[in-house]
């Protein structure tokens, strides 16, 4: 992202808040922003590619990577485990890039303990009703997984005050601009 210091940004928010879309848009407009590929035990959704969207691991493989100390953080989210590989973070930061980690709230708070200079950004849906509509629109949730994600969302929203920045994703374009402004502001600090 230019001449300024590289920073570690951590983005969280309820599933369906639009984090993935927002981060993809920001990456299109902000050059040299690294993104790590997390590991997960969940199965790929339609269109997801191993090594690109996630490293899709079996339960045993994931446990082995924990044992080996390969994760800077990992957490159980919904029914599966997700984790950030230290190798991915090192690779990105060693090139002097700023880095965005897109991880859940438990992971974000763990990263903040380990890297206090990390900037935690919470992406918030305009309301829980809007969140429900967006999750339904995605078409990939069963009634049970929808309820689980909404329940998790309420718990996540309760932790928003622990974040350095909050961006409400009401209108995609203005949220994209706001997020870019947040990144630039912190890179200059
Ligand atoms: P999804 O299954 O929808 O791709 O992701 C579910 C949740 O897992 C999201 O809230 C996402 O931020 C979180 N997540 C993805 N990767 C990681 C990770 O590496 N660590 C942690 N703690 N959470 C992650």
């Amino acid at each position: 992202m230019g001449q300024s210091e590289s920073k570690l940004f951590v983005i969280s928010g309820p599933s369906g808040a639009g984090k993935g879309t927002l981060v993809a848009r920001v990456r299109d407009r902000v050059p040299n922003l690294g993104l790590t590929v997390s590991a997960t035990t969940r199965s790929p959704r339609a269109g997801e590619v191993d090594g690109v969207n996630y490293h899709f691991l079996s339960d045993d493989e994931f446990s082995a990577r924990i044992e080996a100390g390969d994760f800077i953080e990992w957490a159980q989210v919904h029914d599966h485990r997700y984790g950030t590989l230290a190798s991915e973070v090192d690779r990105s930061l060693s090139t002097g890039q700023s880095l965005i980690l897109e991880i859940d709230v438990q992971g974000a708070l763990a990263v903040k303990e380990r890297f206090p200079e990390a900037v935690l950004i919470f992406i918030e849906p305009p309301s829980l009703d809007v969140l429900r509509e967006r999750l339904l629109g995605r078409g990939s949730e069963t009634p049970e997984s929808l309820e689980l994600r909404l329940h998790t969302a309420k718990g996540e929203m309760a932790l928003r005050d622990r974040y350095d920045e909050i961006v409400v994703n009401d209108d995609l374009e203005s949220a994209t601009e706001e997020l870019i402004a947040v990144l630039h502001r912190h890179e200059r600090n």
Side-chain angles (χ1 to χ4, degrees):
M1 240 171 103
Q3 324 81 332
S4 33
E5 198 189 334
S6 68
K7 289 261 178 186
L8 182 56
F9 295 104
V10 181
I11 295 192
S12 321
S15 169
K19 288 174 308 236
T21 311
L22 259 183
V23 171
R25 287 170 64 104
V26 167
R27 285 171 59 74
D28 280 346
R29 298 191 203 175
V30 179
N32 299 325
L33 208 46
L35 184 77
T36 58
V37 179
S38 292
T40 182
T41 57
R42 83 153 163 77
S43 317
R45 295 192 188 115
E48 286 184 333
V49 178
D50 187 32
V52 176
N53 302 89
Y54 284 105
H55 298 289
F56 294 101
L57 304 183
S58 68
D59 262 324
D60 286 349
E61 285 167 338
F62 200 96
S63 299
R65 304 293 303 254
I66 295 172
E67 288 278 301
D70 289 349
F71 291 113
I72 64 163
E73 62 76 31
W74 68 270
Q76 173 96 22
V77 186
H78 313 134
D79 295 330
H80 296 286
R81 289 180 291 173
Y82 296 79
T84 308
L85 293 161
S87 55
E88 294 269 337
V89 175
D90 293 344
R91 182 175 51 77
S92 228
L93 289 180
S94 68
T95 63
Q97 286 182 317
S98 282
L99 181 59
I100 294 185
L101 299 183
E102 200 191 317
I103 63 180
D104 91 304
V105 288
Q106 310 163 73
L109 297 177
V111 168
K112 186 77 175 180
E113 291 222 331
R114 194 158 163 169
F115 304 100
E117 71 285 5
V119 178
L120 266 48
I121 306 168
F122 193 83
I123 309 294
E124 191 169 76
S127 70
L128 284 172
D129 283 342
V130 170
L131 191 66
R132 176 188 292 271
E133 281 164 31
R134 288 185 189 164
L135 285 169
L136 280 172
R138 195 151 84 179
S140 60
E141 309 305 328
T142 63
E144 293 75 24
S145 75
L146 176 69
E147 285 316 312
L148 182 60
R149 279 165 195 269
L150 286 172
H151 177 78
T152 305
K154 286 179 195 157
E156 289 170 331
M157 303 276 272
L159 291 171
R160 65 202 281 286
D161 291 346
R162 309 275 296 271
Y163 281 67
D164 301 301
E165 302 280 353
I166 296 174
V167 173
V168 179
N169 187 13
D170 191 350
D171 170 68
L172 188 55
E173 179 54 27
S174 47
T176 304
E177 282 168 19
E178 200 181 326
L179 184 52
I180 290 172
V182 165
L183 301 185
H184 284 311
R185 183 147 42 80
H186 283 276
E187 282 213 319
R188 276 188 219 103
N189 285 340

